[in-house]
Tab-separated table of all heavy atoms in Angstrom:
chain	number	residue	atom	x	y	z
A	101	MET	N	2.998	-24.349	-1.754
A	101	MET	CA	2.142	-23.201	-1.678
A	101	MET	C	2.942	-22.053	-1.035
A	101	MET	O	3.423	-22.127	0.099
A	101	MET	CB	0.901	-23.505	-0.900
A	101	MET	CG	-0.001	-22.273	-0.673
A	101	MET	SD	-1.560	-22.747	0.139
A	101	MET	CE	-2.204	-21.108	0.464
A	102	SER	N	3.141	-20.984	-1.757
A	102	SER	CA	3.925	-19.886	-1.225
A	102	SER	C	3.013	-18.874	-0.520
A	102	SER	O	1.827	-18.737	-0.843
A	102	SER	CB	4.650	-19.166	-2.356
A	102	SER	OG	3.756	-18.670	-3.305
A	103	GLY	N	3.596	-18.183	0.433
A	103	GLY	CA	2.806	-17.211	1.197
A	103	GLY	C	2.692	-15.918	0.426
A	103	GLY	O	3.226	-15.779	-0.676
A	104	PRO	N	2.002	-14.999	1.015
A	104	PRO	CA	1.807	-13.690	0.388
A	104	PRO	C	3.133	-12.935	0.310
A	104	PRO	O	3.990	-13.077	1.177
A	104	PRO	CB	0.793	-13.002	1.238
A	104	PRO	CG	0.983	-13.629	2.619
A	104	PRO	CD	1.344	-15.059	2.287
A	105	VAL	N	3.259	-12.053	-0.659
A	105	VAL	CA	4.371	-11.166	-0.741
A	105	VAL	C	4.155	-10.055	0.333
A	105	VAL	O	3.114	-9.477	0.406
A	105	VAL	CB	4.460	-10.520	-2.120
A	105	VAL	CG1	5.613	-9.512	-2.213
A	105	VAL	CG2	4.609	-11.585	-3.207
A	106	LEU	N	5.180	-9.841	1.105
A	106	LEU	CA	4.997	-8.883	2.222
A	106	LEU	C	5.759	-7.554	2.033
A	106	LEU	O	5.800	-6.723	2.861
A	106	LEU	CB	5.495	-9.523	3.520
A	106	LEU	CG	4.676	-10.752	3.971
A	106	LEU	CD1	5.234	-11.318	5.255
A	106	LEU	CD2	3.235	-10.413	4.137
A	107	GLU	N	6.311	-7.431	0.813
A	107	GLU	CA	6.930	-6.164	0.500
A	107	GLU	C	6.345	-5.561	-0.769
A	107	GLU	O	6.108	-6.336	-1.741
A	107	GLU	CB	8.457	-6.309	0.349
A	107	GLU	CG	9.200	-6.380	1.692
A	107	GLU	CD	10.665	-6.070	1.534
A	107	GLU	OE1	11.190	-6.264	0.431
A	107	GLU	OE2	11.281	-5.608	2.509
A	108	SER	N	6.116	-4.275	-0.766
A	108	SER	CA	5.539	-3.602	-1.908
A	108	SER	C	6.356	-2.338	-2.157
A	108	SER	O	6.810	-1.685	-1.226
A	108	SER	CB	4.058	-3.295	-1.653
A	108	SER	OG	3.481	-2.658	-2.772
A	109	VAL	N	6.475	-1.965	-3.411
A	109	VAL	CA	7.166	-0.737	-3.738
A	109	VAL	C	6.102	0.307	-4.053
A	109	VAL	O	5.392	0.245	-5.030
A	109	VAL	CB	8.107	-0.943	-4.986
A	109	VAL	CG1	8.783	0.389	-5.347
A	109	VAL	CG2	9.130	-2.011	-4.698
A	110	LEU	N	6.028	1.287	-3.157
A	110	LEU	CA	5.023	2.355	-3.286
A	110	LEU	C	5.612	3.508	-4.110
A	110	LEU	O	6.773	3.937	-3.903
A	110	LEU	CB	4.641	2.855	-1.903
A	110	LEU	CG	3.620	2.037	-1.171
A	110	LEU	CD1	3.578	2.474	0.283
A	110	LEU	CD2	2.265	2.094	-1.806
A	111	THR	N	4.820	4.034	-4.977
A	111	THR	CA	5.208	5.196	-5.789
A	111	THR	C	4.341	6.400	-5.464
A	111	THR	O	3.121	6.293	-5.599
A	111	THR	CB	5.111	4.890	-7.304
A	111	THR	OG1	5.890	3.738	-7.593
A	111	THR	CG2	5.639	6.083	-8.109
A	112	CYS	N	4.945	7.467	-5.018
A	112	CYS	CA	4.209	8.656	-4.690
A	112	CYS	C	3.619	9.306	-5.970
A	112	CYS	O	4.326	9.495	-6.940
A	112	CYS	CB	5.100	9.672	-3.928
A	112	CYS	SG	4.318	11.250	-3.626
A	113	THR	N	2.320	9.578	-5.861
A	113	THR	CA	1.656	10.151	-7.044
A	113	THR	C	1.972	11.618	-7.213
A	113	THR	O	1.723	12.216	-8.289
A	113	THR	CB	0.148	9.978	-6.952
A	113	THR	OG1	-0.305	10.570	-5.748
A	113	THR	CG2	-0.250	8.539	-7.032
A	114	HIS	N	2.511	12.245	-6.174
A	114	HIS	CA	2.799	13.680	-6.244
A	114	HIS	C	4.181	13.991	-6.756
A	114	HIS	O	4.389	14.849	-7.605
A	114	HIS	CB	2.593	14.299	-4.871
A	114	HIS	CG	1.195	14.291	-4.395
A	114	HIS	ND1	0.377	15.386	-4.478
A	114	HIS	CD2	0.432	13.295	-3.885
A	114	HIS	CE1	-0.835	15.037	-4.032
A	114	HIS	NE2	-0.822	13.810	-3.678
A	115	CYS	N	5.162	13.271	-6.222
A	115	CYS	CA	6.545	13.595	-6.614
A	115	CYS	C	7.296	12.432	-7.286
A	115	CYS	O	8.385	12.577	-7.789
A	115	CYS	CB	7.347	14.052	-5.351
A	115	CYS	SG	7.728	12.682	-4.218
A	116	GLY	N	6.638	11.260	-7.332
A	116	GLY	CA	7.237	10.114	-8.011
A	116	GLY	C	8.250	9.392	-7.163
A	116	GLY	O	8.935	8.507	-7.686
A	117	HIS	N	8.364	9.709	-5.914
A	117	HIS	CA	9.326	9.038	-5.049
A	117	HIS	C	8.920	7.567	-4.886
A	117	HIS	O	7.746	7.265	-4.671
A	117	HIS	CB	9.345	9.736	-3.669
A	117	HIS	CG	10.356	9.177	-2.717
A	117	HIS	ND1	11.691	9.362	-2.861
A	117	HIS	CD2	10.186	8.418	-1.617
A	117	HIS	CE1	12.328	8.753	-1.873
A	117	HIS	NE2	11.460	8.147	-1.104
A	118	VAL	N	9.916	6.729	-4.946
A	118	VAL	CA	9.679	5.291	-4.877
A	118	VAL	C	10.292	4.726	-3.578
A	118	VAL	O	11.443	5.037	-3.278
A	118	VAL	CB	10.267	4.544	-6.101
A	118	VAL	CG1	10.129	3.046	-5.963
A	118	VAL	CG2	9.555	5.026	-7.374
A	119	LYS	N	9.510	3.983	-2.849
A	119	LYS	CA	9.991	3.459	-1.566
A	119	LYS	C	9.495	2.044	-1.355
A	119	LYS	O	8.314	1.755	-1.562
A	119	LYS	CB	9.478	4.332	-0.422
A	119	LYS	CG	9.933	3.899	0.965
A	119	LYS	CD	11.346	4.311	1.321
A	119	LYS	CE	11.810	3.687	2.631
A	119	LYS	NZ	11.042	4.190	3.794
A	120	ARG	N	10.424	1.137	-0.961
A	120	ARG	CA	9.989	-0.212	-0.641
A	120	ARG	C	9.505	-0.247	0.787
A	120	ARG	O	10.174	0.192	1.682
A	120	ARG	CB	11.134	-1.158	-0.824
A	120	ARG	CG	10.820	-2.616	-0.509
A	120	ARG	CD	12.055	-3.490	-0.707
A	120	ARG	NE	12.470	-3.523	-2.083
A	120	ARG	CZ	12.069	-4.428	-2.968
A	120	ARG	NH1	11.232	-5.369	-2.587
A	120	ARG	NH2	12.474	-4.417	-4.176
A	121	GLU	N	8.288	-0.817	0.985
A	121	GLU	CA	7.731	-0.842	2.302
A	121	GLU	C	7.255	-2.276	2.590
A	121	GLU	O	6.818	-2.982	1.705
A	121	GLU	CB	6.488	0.085	2.378
A	121	GLU	CG	6.822	1.556	2.252
A	121	GLU	CD	7.392	2.165	3.492
A	121	GLU	OE1	7.408	1.464	4.523
A	121	GLU	OE2	7.837	3.317	3.451
A	122	SER	N	7.355	-2.630	3.846
A	122	SER	CA	6.798	-3.937	4.252
A	122	SER	C	5.345	-3.715	4.637
A	122	SER	O	4.957	-2.692	5.146
A	122	SER	CB	7.598	-4.526	5.436
A	122	SER	OG	7.531	-3.632	6.522
A	123	MET	N	4.539	-4.767	4.345
A	123	MET	CA	3.094	-4.675	4.599
A	123	MET	C	2.705	-5.539	5.792
A	123	MET	O	3.198	-6.676	5.926
A	123	MET	CB	2.335	-5.161	3.329
A	123	MET	CG	2.592	-4.306	2.124
A	123	MET	SD	1.591	-4.827	0.730
A	123	MET	CE	2.432	-6.309	0.204
A	124	PRO	N	1.826	-5.022	6.649
A	124	PRO	CA	1.269	-5.891	7.665
A	124	PRO	C	0.373	-6.955	7.094
A	124	PRO	O	-0.348	-6.666	6.077
A	124	PRO	CB	0.472	-4.888	8.536
A	124	PRO	CG	0.103	-3.793	7.616
A	124	PRO	CD	1.227	-3.712	6.591
A	125	THR	N	0.363	-8.127	7.711
A	125	THR	CA	-0.407	-9.221	7.127
A	125	THR	C	-1.870	-9.200	7.613
A	125	THR	O	-2.743	-9.843	7.067
A	125	THR	CB	0.187	-10.559	7.516
A	125	THR	OG1	0.309	-10.642	8.957
A	125	THR	CG2	1.551	-10.748	6.898
A	126	ASP	N	-2.102	-8.480	8.674
A	126	ASP	CA	-3.445	-8.593	9.346
A	126	ASP	C	-4.198	-7.229	9.340
A	126	ASP	O	-5.188	-7.108	9.955
A	126	ASP	CB	-3.257	-9.062	10.773
A	126	ASP	CG	-2.320	-8.136	11.608
A	126	ASP	OD1	-1.666	-7.311	10.948
A	126	ASP	OD2	-2.269	-8.304	12.825
A	127	ALA	N	-3.657	-6.250	8.635
A	127	ALA	CA	-4.349	-4.945	8.605
A	127	ALA	C	-4.023	-4.257	7.309
A	127	ALA	O	-3.038	-4.530	6.681
A	127	ALA	CB	-3.915	-4.096	9.794
A	128	CYS	N	-4.885	-3.298	6.989
A	128	CYS	CA	-4.653	-2.535	5.814
A	128	CYS	C	-4.152	-1.132	6.170
A	128	CYS	O	-4.618	-0.553	7.141
A	128	CYS	CB	-5.932	-2.407	4.984
A	128	CYS	SG	-6.250	-3.875	4.054
A	129	GLN	N	-3.259	-0.637	5.389
A	129	GLN	CA	-2.727	0.711	5.636
A	129	GLN	C	-3.465	1.685	4.749
A	129	GLN	O	-3.393	1.630	3.522
A	129	GLN	CB	-1.257	0.739	5.379
A	129	GLN	CG	-0.654	2.108	5.764
A	129	GLN	CD	0.890	2.084	5.667
A	129	GLN	OE1	1.498	1.050	5.714
A	129	GLN	NE2	1.482	3.219	5.559
A	130	TYR	N	-4.261	2.543	5.358
A	130	TYR	CA	-5.119	3.492	4.595
A	130	TYR	C	-4.435	4.786	4.253
A	130	TYR	O	-4.708	5.405	3.246
A	130	TYR	CB	-6.381	3.767	5.383
A	130	TYR	CG	-7.490	4.279	4.525
A	130	TYR	CD1	-8.224	3.428	3.681
A	130	TYR	CD2	-7.841	5.650	4.496
A	130	TYR	CE1	-9.217	3.901	2.878
A	130	TYR	CE2	-8.839	6.125	3.743
A	130	TYR	CZ	-9.551	5.289	2.912
A	130	TYR	OH	-10.530	5.766	2.071
A	131	PHE	N	-3.467	5.157	5.119
A	131	PHE	CA	-2.737	6.373	4.845
A	131	PHE	C	-1.278	6.094	4.698
A	131	PHE	O	-0.733	5.183	5.342
A	131	PHE	CB	-2.933	7.385	6.014
A	131	PHE	CG	-4.343	7.816	6.206
A	131	PHE	CD1	-5.059	7.319	7.269
A	131	PHE	CD2	-4.947	8.718	5.369
A	131	PHE	CE1	-6.388	7.666	7.479
A	131	PHE	CE2	-6.243	9.093	5.548
A	131	PHE	CZ	-6.990	8.591	6.605
A	132	TYR	N	-0.621	6.796	3.775
A	132	TYR	CA	0.826	6.644	3.640
A	132	TYR	C	1.438	8.021	3.386
A	132	TYR	O	1.057	8.700	2.430
A	132	TYR	CB	1.133	5.715	2.473
A	132	TYR	CG	2.608	5.610	2.172
A	132	TYR	CD1	3.450	4.908	2.985
A	132	TYR	CD2	3.121	6.250	1.054
A	132	TYR	CE1	4.820	4.797	2.715
A	132	TYR	CE2	4.487	6.190	0.749
A	132	TYR	CZ	5.338	5.440	1.605
A	132	TYR	OH	6.654	5.387	1.336
A	133	GLU	N	2.364	8.364	4.241
A	133	GLU	CA	3.033	9.663	4.063
A	133	GLU	C	4.321	9.509	3.307
A	133	GLU	O	5.201	8.754	3.722
A	133	GLU	CB	3.276	10.309	5.422
A	133	GLU	CG	3.868	11.719	5.304
A	133	GLU	CD	4.169	12.377	6.661
A	133	GLU	OE1	3.265	12.357	7.491
A	133	GLU	OE2	5.302	12.788	6.854
A	134	CYS	N	4.409	10.244	2.234
A	134	CYS	CA	5.641	10.183	1.442
A	134	CYS	C	6.763	10.794	2.192
A	134	CYS	O	6.642	11.886	2.680
A	134	CYS	CB	5.401	10.870	0.115
A	134	CYS	SG	6.876	11.059	-0.936
A	135	GLU	N	7.887	10.081	2.252
A	135	GLU	CA	9.018	10.633	3.009
A	135	GLU	C	9.727	11.709	2.258
A	135	GLU	O	10.522	12.502	2.836
A	135	GLU	CB	10.034	9.513	3.357
A	135	GLU	CG	10.730	8.990	2.118
A	135	GLU	CD	11.774	7.979	2.483
A	135	GLU	OE1	11.893	7.578	3.642
A	135	GLU	OE2	12.531	7.599	1.554
A	136	SER	N	9.445	11.852	0.969
A	136	SER	CA	10.082	12.870	0.146
A	136	SER	C	9.368	14.207	0.191
A	136	SER	O	9.942	15.243	0.413
A	136	SER	CB	10.211	12.360	-1.258
A	136	SER	OG	10.835	13.343	-2.103
A	137	CYS	N	8.066	14.191	-0.064
A	137	CYS	CA	7.302	15.407	-0.175
A	137	CYS	C	6.302	15.590	0.967
A	137	CYS	O	5.597	16.595	1.009
A	137	CYS	CB	6.633	15.561	-1.545
A	137	CYS	SG	5.263	14.395	-1.799
A	138	GLN	N	6.178	14.599	1.838
A	138	GLN	CA	5.285	14.620	2.996
A	138	GLN	C	3.807	14.707	2.643
A	138	GLN	O	2.978	15.051	3.492
A	138	GLN	CB	5.645	15.790	3.933
A	138	GLN	CG	6.748	15.466	4.931
A	138	GLN	CD	8.109	15.519	4.290
A	138	GLN	OE1	8.438	16.527	3.641
A	138	GLN	NE2	8.912	14.478	4.428
A	139	CYS	N	3.526	14.436	1.415
A	139	CYS	CA	2.078	14.335	1.098
A	139	CYS	C	1.572	13.031	1.609
A	139	CYS	O	2.256	12.062	1.832
A	139	CYS	CB	1.840	14.400	-0.409
A	139	CYS	SG	2.547	12.998	-1.285
A	140	VAL	N	0.246	13.009	1.913
A	140	VAL	CA	-0.345	11.770	2.418
A	140	VAL	C	-1.222	11.159	1.308
A	140	VAL	O	-2.145	11.743	0.838
A	140	VAL	CB	-1.238	12.050	3.655
A	140	VAL	CG1	-1.930	10.799	4.129
A	140	VAL	CG2	-0.367	12.678	4.814
A	141	LEU	N	-0.835	9.931	0.955
A	141	LEU	CA	-1.547	9.210	-0.053
A	141	LEU	C	-2.732	8.445	0.576
A	141	LEU	O	-2.577	7.901	1.676
A	141	LEU	CB	-0.662	8.206	-0.777
A	141	LEU	CG	0.588	8.767	-1.476
A	141	LEU	CD1	1.373	7.648	-2.146
A	141	LEU	CD2	0.229	9.823	-2.499
A	142	ARG	N	-3.854	8.461	-0.119
A	142	ARG	CA	-5.000	7.637	0.303
A	142	ARG	C	-5.427	6.775	-0.841
A	142	ARG	O	-5.208	7.129	-1.993
A	142	ARG	CB	-6.150	8.573	0.764
A	142	ARG	CG	-5.956	9.078	2.141
A	142	ARG	CD	-7.099	9.943	2.600
A	142	ARG	NE	-7.054	11.248	1.923
A	142	ARG	CZ	-7.919	12.203	2.102
A	142	ARG	NH1	-8.890	12.025	2.957
A	142	ARG	NH2	-7.804	13.361	1.454
A	143	PRO	N	-6.045	5.648	-0.569
A	143	PRO	CA	-6.402	4.696	-1.650
A	143	PRO	C	-7.359	5.322	-2.646
A	143	PRO	O	-8.177	6.203	-2.307
A	143	PRO	CB	-7.053	3.523	-0.913
A	143	PRO	CG	-6.565	3.658	0.477
A	143	PRO	CD	-6.372	5.127	0.739
A	144	LYS	N	-7.266	4.853	-3.893
A	144	LYS	CA	-8.230	5.276	-4.912
A	144	LYS	C	-9.565	4.642	-4.560
A	144	LYS	O	-9.634	3.622	-3.844
A	144	LYS	CB	-7.753	4.722	-6.245
A	144	LYS	CG	-6.437	5.294	-6.719
A	144	LYS	CD	-5.966	4.572	-7.974
A	144	LYS	CE	-4.566	5.041	-8.401
A	144	LYS	NZ	-4.058	4.206	-9.471
A	145	PRO	N	-10.651	5.226	-5.056
A	145	PRO	CA	-11.991	4.638	-4.850
A	145	PRO	C	-12.017	3.175	-5.287
A	145	PRO	O	-11.570	2.880	-6.355
A	145	PRO	CB	-12.927	5.531	-5.681
A	145	PRO	CG	-12.211	6.834	-5.761
A	145	PRO	CD	-10.738	6.498	-5.815
A	146	GLY	N	-12.521	2.328	-4.413
A	146	GLY	CA	-12.610	0.909	-4.765
A	146	GLY	C	-11.408	0.088	-4.231
A	146	GLY	O	-11.495	-1.108	-4.237
A	147	ASP	N	-10.324	0.736	-3.908
A	147	ASP	CA	-9.204	0.056	-3.356
A	147	ASP	C	-9.207	0.144	-1.842
A	147	ASP	O	-9.692	1.086	-1.220
A	147	ASP	CB	-7.898	0.704	-3.860
A	147	ASP	CG	-7.579	0.289	-5.291
A	147	ASP	OD1	-8.145	-0.727	-5.776
A	147	ASP	OD2	-6.782	0.973	-5.945
A	148	CYS	N	-8.696	-0.931	-1.226
A	148	CYS	CA	-8.785	-1.046	0.230
A	148	CYS	C	-7.683	-0.311	0.982
A	148	CYS	O	-7.801	-0.025	2.140
A	148	CYS	CB	-8.873	-2.494	0.625
A	148	CYS	SG	-7.389	-3.456	0.182
A	149	CYS	N	-6.551	-0.210	0.309
A	149	CYS	CA	-5.436	0.364	1.012
A	149	CYS	C	-4.426	0.955	0.008
A	149	CYS	O	-4.547	0.760	-1.201
A	149	CYS	CB	-4.732	-0.688	1.871
A	149	CYS	SG	-3.933	-1.987	0.942
A	150	VAL	N	-3.458	1.697	0.560
A	150	VAL	CA	-2.492	2.365	-0.328
A	150	VAL	C	-1.663	1.397	-1.131
A	150	VAL	O	-1.209	1.724	-2.210
A	150	VAL	CB	-1.569	3.310	0.478
A	150	VAL	CG1	-2.338	4.503	1.010
A	150	VAL	CG2	-0.853	2.558	1.616
A	151	PHE	N	-1.432	0.207	-0.645
A	151	PHE	CA	-0.659	-0.762	-1.351
A	151	PHE	C	-1.391	-1.264	-2.599
A	151	PHE	O	-0.739	-1.493	-3.663
A	151	PHE	CB	-0.276	-1.953	-0.461
A	151	PHE	CG	0.643	-1.584	0.654
A	151	PHE	CD1	0.169	-1.576	1.986
A	151	PHE	CD2	1.932	-1.203	0.423
A	151	PHE	CE1	0.990	-1.233	3.033
A	151	PHE	CE2	2.783	-0.819	1.471
A	151	PHE	CZ	2.311	-0.833	2.794
A	152	CYS	N	-2.709	-1.404	-2.505
A	152	CYS	CA	-3.495	-1.823	-3.653
A	152	CYS	C	-3.535	-0.696	-4.717
A	152	CYS	O	-3.638	-0.961	-5.907
A	152	CYS	CB	-4.860	-2.236	-3.247
A	152	CYS	SG	-4.920	-3.731	-2.286
A	153	SER	N	-3.480	0.573	-4.259
A	153	SER	CA	-3.601	1.669	-5.203
A	153	SER	C	-2.242	2.068	-5.809
A	153	SER	O	-2.139	2.336	-6.991
A	153	SER	CB	-4.194	2.895	-4.528
A	153	SER	OG	-5.570	2.744	-4.302
A	154	PHE	N	-1.221	2.078	-4.984
A	154	PHE	CA	0.051	2.660	-5.414
A	154	PHE	C	1.245	1.698	-5.364
A	154	PHE	O	2.309	2.021	-5.757
A	154	PHE	CB	0.357	3.903	-4.586
A	154	PHE	CG	-0.814	4.862	-4.524
A	154	PHE	CD1	-1.482	5.066	-3.306
A	154	PHE	CD2	-1.210	5.549	-5.624
A	154	PHE	CE1	-2.561	5.914	-3.232
A	154	PHE	CE2	-2.322	6.422	-5.577
A	154	PHE	CZ	-2.984	6.603	-4.370
A	155	GLY	N	0.990	0.532	-4.801
A	155	GLY	CA	2.124	-0.420	-4.634
A	155	GLY	C	2.315	-1.333	-5.808
A	155	GLY	O	1.477	-1.431	-6.698
A	156	SER	N	3.447	-1.979	-5.783
A	156	SER	CA	3.810	-2.917	-6.890
A	156	SER	C	3.031	-4.219	-6.756
A	156	SER	O	2.820	-4.890	-7.761
A	156	SER	CB	5.307	-3.194	-6.908
A	156	SER	OG	5.693	-3.693	-5.691
A	157	VAL	N	2.629	-4.543	-5.545
A	157	VAL	CA	1.819	-5.750	-5.339
A	157	VAL	C	0.659	-5.360	-4.412
A	157	VAL	O	0.717	-4.409	-3.620
A	157	VAL	CB	2.607	-6.902	-4.722
A	157	VAL	CG1	3.669	-7.411	-5.658
A	157	VAL	CG2	3.281	-6.430	-3.384
A	158	ASN	N	-0.445	-6.120	-4.487
A	158	ASN	CA	-1.572	-5.851	-3.635
A	158	ASN	C	-1.260	-6.337	-2.173
A	158	ASN	O	-0.341	-7.089	-1.938
A	158	ASN	CB	-2.800	-6.636	-4.138
A	158	ASN	CG	-3.325	-6.020	-5.415
A	158	ASN	OD1	-3.111	-4.858	-5.683
A	158	ASN	ND2	-4.036	-6.811	-6.151
A	159	CYS	N	-2.059	-5.817	-1.285
A	159	CYS	CA	-1.831	-6.151	0.158
A	159	CYS	C	-2.095	-7.669	0.391
A	159	CYS	O	-2.820	-8.302	-0.347
A	159	CYS	CB	-2.743	-5.279	1.026
A	159	CYS	SG	-4.515	-5.594	0.826
A	160	PRO	N	-1.551	-8.190	1.458
A	160	PRO	CA	-1.653	-9.616	1.747
A	160	PRO	C	-3.094	-10.138	1.787
A	160	PRO	O	-3.337	-11.212	1.233
A	160	PRO	CB	-0.935	-9.776	3.102
A	160	PRO	CG	0.097	-8.683	3.028
A	160	PRO	CD	-0.577	-7.538	2.399
A	161	PRO	N	-4.046	-9.447	2.413
A	161	PRO	CA	-5.398	-9.984	2.411
A	161	PRO	C	-6.012	-10.120	1.024
A	161	PRO	O	-6.738	-11.036	0.715
A	161	PRO	CB	-6.212	-8.935	3.242
A	161	PRO	CG	-5.181	-8.322	4.176
A	161	PRO	CD	-3.938	-8.307	3.324
A	162	VAL	N	-5.694	-9.156	0.099
A	162	VAL	CA	-6.179	-9.244	-1.216
A	162	VAL	C	-5.475	-10.360	-1.996
A	162	VAL	O	-6.054	-11.073	-2.789
A	162	VAL	CB	-6.012	-7.878	-1.962
A	162	VAL	CG1	-6.266	-8.016	-3.431
A	162	VAL	CG2	-6.937	-6.822	-1.355
A	163	GLN	N	-4.165	-10.524	-1.703
A	163	GLN	CA	-3.450	-11.641	-2.311
A	163	GLN	C	-4.086	-13.000	-1.919
A	163	GLN	O	-4.075	-13.933	-2.701
A	163	GLN	CB	-1.985	-11.626	-1.838
A	163	GLN	CG	-1.182	-10.485	-2.424
A	163	GLN	CD	0.261	-10.521	-1.900
A	163	GLN	OE1	0.861	-11.599	-1.965
A	163	GLN	NE2	0.784	-9.434	-1.484
A	164	ALA	N	-4.634	-13.035	-0.694
A	164	ALA	CA	-5.272	-14.225	-0.253
A	164	ALA	C	-6.766	-14.290	-0.701
A	164	ALA	O	-7.521	-15.139	-0.270
A	164	ALA	CB	-5.199	-14.336	1.257
A	165	GLN	N	-7.100	-13.348	-1.583
A	165	GLN	CA	-8.453	-13.249	-2.168
A	165	GLN	C	-9.522	-13.104	-1.111
A	165	GLN	O	-10.626	-13.579	-1.232
A	165	GLN	CB	-8.707	-14.520	-3.016
A	165	GLN	CG	-7.738	-14.618	-4.135
A	165	GLN	CD	-8.050	-15.760	-5.127
A	165	GLN	OE1	-8.665	-16.760	-4.662
A	165	GLN	NE2	-7.615	-15.662	-6.318
A	166	LYS	N	-9.132	-12.322	-0.085
A	166	LYS	CA	-10.125	-11.910	0.863
A	166	LYS	C	-10.193	-10.411	0.814
A	166	LYS	O	-9.238	-9.726	0.530
A	166	LYS	CB	-9.764	-12.366	2.302
A	166	LYS	CG	-9.818	-13.843	2.476
A	166	LYS	CD	-9.482	-14.246	3.908
A	166	LYS	CE	-8.024	-13.940	4.233
A	166	LYS	NZ	-7.675	-14.451	5.574
A	167	SER	N	-11.329	-9.852	1.187
A	167	SER	CA	-11.474	-8.428	1.213
A	167	SER	C	-10.896	-7.861	2.500
A	167	SER	O	-11.066	-8.428	3.595
A	167	SER	CB	-12.959	-8.033	1.117
A	167	SER	OG	-13.067	-6.637	1.391
A	168	CYS	N	-10.183	-6.768	2.397
A	168	CYS	CA	-9.647	-6.154	3.582
A	168	CYS	C	-10.770	-5.671	4.510
A	168	CYS	O	-10.636	-5.620	5.715
A	168	CYS	CB	-8.847	-4.937	3.218
A	168	CYS	SG	-7.349	-5.363	2.363
A	169	ARG	N	-11.850	-5.282	3.869
A	169	ARG	CA	-12.915	-4.701	4.675
A	169	ARG	C	-13.945	-5.777	5.178
A	169	ARG	O	-14.957	-5.441	5.724
A	169	ARG	CB	-13.708	-3.680	3.793
A	169	ARG	CG	-12.882	-2.401	3.588
A	169	ARG	CD	-13.564	-1.525	2.640
A	169	ARG	NE	-12.804	-0.219	2.492
A	169	ARG	CZ	-12.982	0.636	1.508
A	169	ARG	NH1	-13.826	0.328	0.531
A	169	ARG	NH2	-12.248	1.709	1.396
A	170	GLY	N	-13.583	-7.004	4.948
A	170	GLY	CA	-14.478	-8.078	5.397
A	170	GLY	C	-15.551	-8.306	4.439
A	170	GLY	O	-16.678	-8.496	4.581
B	278	ZN	ZN1	5.920	12.394	-2.621
């Protein structure tokens, strides 16, 4: 049984900048500031965190089939 993926590649919706980020296993990241254009990304409606909306993989709690929001 493999553990959750802890790295996600986030893509900025404003400038298209791509950055690999590590994800916390016990919390969701709701805001993400693009290092290229300094815009702040927020999750799409229905998504719990920026990784679920813009990342290449979902956040660890979702990978474990639990809701981030409890
Ligand atoms: Zn950007």
Side-chain angles (χ1 to χ4, degrees):
M101 177 175 170
S102 61
V105 179
L106 297 179
E107 281 199 335
S108 181
V109 179
L110 281 168
T111 303
C112 175
T113 55
H114 292 261
C115 72
H117 183 72
V118 175
K119 179 80 188 296
R120 180 180 294 269
E121 294 284 351
S122 59
M123 297 185 286
T125 56
D126 58 348
C128 283
Q129 186 172 339
Y130 199 76
F131 298 103
Y132 174 75
E133 183 181 310
C134 173
E135 67 174 10
S136 177
C137 68
Q138 275 78 51
C139 66
V140 177
L141 302 180
R142 280 180 288 180
K144 298 171 187 172
D147 283 340
C148 60
C149 66
V150 290
F151 294 111
C152 291
S153 285
F154 310 111
S156 57
V157 294
N158 289 336
C159 65
V162 170
Q163 289 180 46
Q165 299 185 334
K166 293 184 290 186
S167 170
C168 294
R169 287 175 177 161

